[in-house]
Amino acid sequence: MNNKQDELISALLDDELDYDASQRAISGLLDSGQDGMERFARYRLIGDVMRGESAVLAGSVATKVSQALHDEPSVLEPRAHRQPRRWARPAAGLAIAASVAAAAIMVAPQLMTRPGEQGQPMQLAADTQHRDATPATLVAAGGSQGDARPVEVAEAQLRWPARNQEASERFDRLMMEHREFGGRTGVNGPVQHIGFVSYDAR
Amino acid sequence: MTRASRLIWLSCGLLLAANARSGESSPHQLLDRMNEAVRQLDYEGRFVVQVGDRMDAIYIVHRVDGGAEKERVVSLTGKPREVIRSDEAVACLTSGRARTLNVGRGANGRSFSPLSGVTGEQLDRYYRMQLLPPGRVAGRDAYQLLIEPRDDLRFGYRLFLDQASYLPLRSVMFDEAQKTASQMMFVELRVDQQITPIERDISAMQVARATPSDDIPEERLKPPAWEFADLPPGFQLNVHRRRMLGENAGELEHFIFSDGLATVSVYVQPTGDDGVGLPPSSRLGAAGAVSRVLADHEVIVVGEVPARTLNWFAQQIRAASN
């Protein structure tokens, strides 16, 4: 990772690149491996924190990453063999998103926790101070080129339409029982309760 | 040996080798190994989850202690949320909520697997499985497995399984239109080494306590008050349970059906102030919910299946004839 690439990252984050240049920059980031990804995420996260912004951003980079996720077909076979280049770029987008997430996750605890607790996962039950902290979120947004619709992320409404708070809590419990007693196979991921953690529970 | 016969022998050899290779890691074997791995291994990692337009990062640590699973799942993005699984209960915590959601566990802290209740032939009847070229996720080599439904009553899956541990490194669930309904992907994973002790967070484990008042003693268990005139092909009843609702609010009946991979819950409870009041149909990512009122009871069907399947259950339920 040299100075030129650092400048590219900076320009990418500042939305100063046109479409082709941003694609080249993303390719460069992918080629630079984990180090480049972590640097990209760190730049972005530090910039967000210094500006005092929440991590809900509608930047063009986020838009592109999200668009890449949307564009990637769910079933790559047999199309994957016939049109390998068609999904190469979306897959790269997902790789960037994942790598950014990984790097953000690695950086976030150091910014959120107290001295002596660095690198530890959030202790929601044990440490109420963390409840008020604005957690750093990873970057994703939706929409096409030029569409600045901020879709990710942390504050997006993603909850079941129960009639009120109490009913919502009752339904959360039903979903929890569904996942707990329904068992686990791994096809939905390693744990049943991902839904509770990723959905908005009121 | 003529050239032609050498070619024939070579072809036969290659075919046998290919068969032997596919036999070593057939889709069914991979599914079985994944099914064991998610419940029996110690692992810790971070993964991203995409539901619709939203993406979240999540931390997980899973340990098996004396056969019982313990687990913490923590959201690293958005509103702080956490799921803690001890050997006796599961607790869901979220900021801003006064109470924790707490559900007791059975089976000595072990997870139930609906996959173990079906045969390979049953799975093949409803899913088409195929090994795709290997992939790489979270820096680990992965088998890639495509599971496509043979009808429109269930979703499909694309799985990347760790070649070393068989844990799912990436899971994509896709709907009838082959669009992604939800997906998760590890970005960092450690298996069976230097796993963070869950017990370190004593207060977290203390909230995951069973609440015996919810459980109905076995002697009070009685046959289901509801039955299903017809079930979607491939689905079978795995669990029937009852739970007390609030004071004088009656009981909730819970049926869990599965085809081995997809799971559907049907809840029946008296209508009233303790109801949920969902709209007739709603969906969040892969999970859908259908609701209806039947004989002064609220019927709620939830599951990671198409709406048609949820509606099937909702329409086929009726008061038991016994």
Side-chain angles (χ1 to χ4, degrees):
Chain A
M1 180 71 56
N2 53 37
N3 290 338
K4 189 176 178 184
Q5 285 171 311
D6 281 347
E7 288 173 12
L8 264 180
I9 290 177
S10 177
L12 192 61
L13 289 172
D14 292 340
D15 199 18
E16 291 172 350
L17 301 180
D18 61 23
Y19 180 77
D20 289 338
S22 68
Q23 291 301 307
R24 283 196 299 275
I26 289 172
S27 297
L29 273 171
L30 282 173
D31 291 341
S32 65
Q34 188 68 13
D35 176 59
M37 297 300 175
E38 290 178 16
R39 186 173 294 216
F40 175 83
R42 201 170 296 129
Y43 279 12
R44 172 136 207 175
L45 194 61
I46 290 171
D48 294 346
V49 172
M50 287 177 66
R51 286 192 295 270
E53 296 174 356
S54 79
V56 182
L57 297 172
S60 63
V61 176
T63 303
K64 288 162 193 162
V65 170
S66 179
Q67 187 62 46
L69 280 167
H70 274 285
D71 291 346
E72 187 189 28
S74 300
V75 185
L76 298 181
E77 179 74 16
R79 279 169 287 174
H81 289 305
R82 288 198 296 265
Q83 299 172 323
R85 293 187 62 81
R86 184 173 176 272
W87 53 271
R89 193 162 56 188
L94 182 57
I96 282 189
S99 301
V100 168
I105 292 163
M106 282 185 277
V107 173
Q110 297 173 24
L111 297 174
M112 291 189 296
T113 55
R114 297 176 302 193
E117 291 185 343
Q118 290 189 355
Q120 304 301 327
M122 274 193 295
Q123 307 277 307
L124 181 65
D127 186 352
T128 53
Q129 288 191 20
H130 291 165
R131 297 184 184 195
D132 297 326
T134 302
T137 51
L138 58 115
V139 178
S144 57
Q145 278 292 112
D147 178 4
R149 180 172 60 103
V151 233
E152 178 345 0
V153 198
E155 305 306 322
Q157 294 284 311
L158 196 58
R159 56 177 64 133
W160 293 95
R163 64 183 171 214
N164 56 39
Q165 170 90 17
E166 287 186 351
S168 178
E169 289 190 15
R170 284 194 287 273
F171 186 69
D172 282 343
R173 173 162 187 156
L174 297 187
M175 290 303 292
M176 191 173 159
E177 290 176 336
H178 164 66
R179 295 192 169 100
E180 184 59 32
F181 295 105
R184 76 165 93 188
T185 61
V187 292
N188 299 329
V191 287
Q192 307 99 301
H193 297 287
I194 290 175
F196 179 86
V197 182
S198 61
Y199 295 164
D200 280 343
R202 278 197 280 204
Chain B
M1 188 180 289
T2 64
R3 186 179 178 192
S5 60
R6 275 201 302 272
L7 279 175
I8 291 172
W9 278 109
L10 181 61
S11 301
C12 290
L14 288 173
L15 193 61
L16 286 172
N19 283 339
R21 184 181 171 81
S22 64
E24 286 170 6
S25 53
S26 71
H28 289 128
Q29 287 172 318
L30 288 178
L31 271 182
D32 286 341
R33 288 169 183 162
M34 173 185 70
N35 190 35
E36 297 289 314
V38 292
R39 290 179 293 128
Q40 296 184 357
L41 293 182
D42 289 354
Y43 49 91
E44 180 176 23
R46 291 164 173 83
F47 57 90
V48 290
V49 175
Q50 181 203 357
V51 178
D53 286 333
R54 174 176 168 139
M55 189 188 290
D56 277 293
I58 293 173
Y59 162 83
I60 179 177
V61 55
H62 176 274
R63 291 181 68 93
V64 180
D65 183 7
E69 294 174 74
K70 296 178 179 177
E71 191 171 84
R72 290 186 70 210
V73 186
V74 183
S75 70
L76 299 172
T77 53
K79 187 185 293 183
R81 286 146 293 166
E82 178 166 346
V83 174
I84 302 151
R85 176 196 296 262
S86 73
D87 52 2
E88 64 179 58
V90 180
C92 294
L93 298 84
T94 186
S95 64
R97 176 183 275 176
R99 292 170 296 180
T100 61
L101 278 170
N102 214 316
V103 170
R105 301 184 66 197
N108 302 316
R110 293 183 175 88
S111 289
F112 162 75
S113 169
L115 194 55
S116 59
V118 298
T119 64
E121 289 74 24
Q122 283 175 293
L123 273 183
D124 285 342
R125 207 171 298 153
Y126 302 105
Y127 293 98
R128 188 182 304 109
M129 301 194 197
Q130 184 182 0
L131 272 176
L132 301 186
R136 194 160 176 269
V137 178
R140 303 171 77 101
D141 293 331
Y143 298 109
Q144 190 180 176
L145 178 58
L146 179 67
I147 304 174
E148 293 177 290
R150 294 183 188 274
D151 56 28
D152 58 358
L153 292 169
R154 55 210 102 223
F155 288 152
Y157 309 87
R158 189 156 61 94
L159 303 172
F160 291 76
L161 307 184
D162 184 20
Q163 291 190 1
S165 68
Y166 299 100
L167 285 169
L169 297 174
R170 184 182 175 198
S171 165
V172 182
M173 195 185 303
F174 53 90
D175 63 16
E176 313 92 293
Q178 299 200 333
K179 288 183 178 173
T180 299
S182 69
Q183 66 172 311
M184 62 76 54
M185 181 171 75
F186 270 102
V187 292
E188 179 193 343
L189 176 67
R190 291 196 298 279
V191 183
D192 282 339
Q193 54 179 358
Q194 300 173 334
I195 305 296
T196 304
I198 301 176
E199 296 79 0
R200 187 182 58 191
D201 186 359
I202 299 300
S203 61
M205 296 310 290
Q206 283 176 342
V207 302
R209 297 280 187 187
T211 49
S213 58
D214 284 344
D215 300 329
I216 295 179
E218 275 189 28
E219 58 269 23
R220 286 186 52 200
L221 288 179
K222 49 195 176 190
W226 304 87
E227 64 184 14
F228 295 82
D230 190 22
L231 293 177
F235 283 88
Q236 59 189 28
L237 179 65
N238 282 348
V239 176
H240 170 249
R241 54 185 288 270
R242 293 170 183 267
R243 167 163 67 80
M244 292 298 295
L245 294 169
E247 200 169 330
N248 300 323
E251 292 178 357
L252 171 143
E253 277 198 59
H254 183 191
F255 302 84
I256 303 179
F257 299 88
S258 178
D259 65 359
L261 298 179
T263 302
V264 173
S265 280
V266 181
Y267 299 93
V268 190
Q269 60 183 355
T271 53
D273 295 339
D274 287 336
V276 174
L278 281 183
S281 180
S282 49
R283 180 163 292 277
L284 271 185
V290 162
S291 173
R292 69 177 288 217
V293 173
L294 176 65
D296 295 329
H297 283 74
E298 185 177 26
V299 177
I300 299 170
V301 187
V302 300
E304 292 77 18
V305 292
R308 182 177 171 224
T309 314
L310 298 173
N311 281 315
W312 188 312
F313 283 101
Q315 296 305 318
Q316 293 296 325
I317 191 170
R318 64 189 182 192
S321 53
N322 55 6

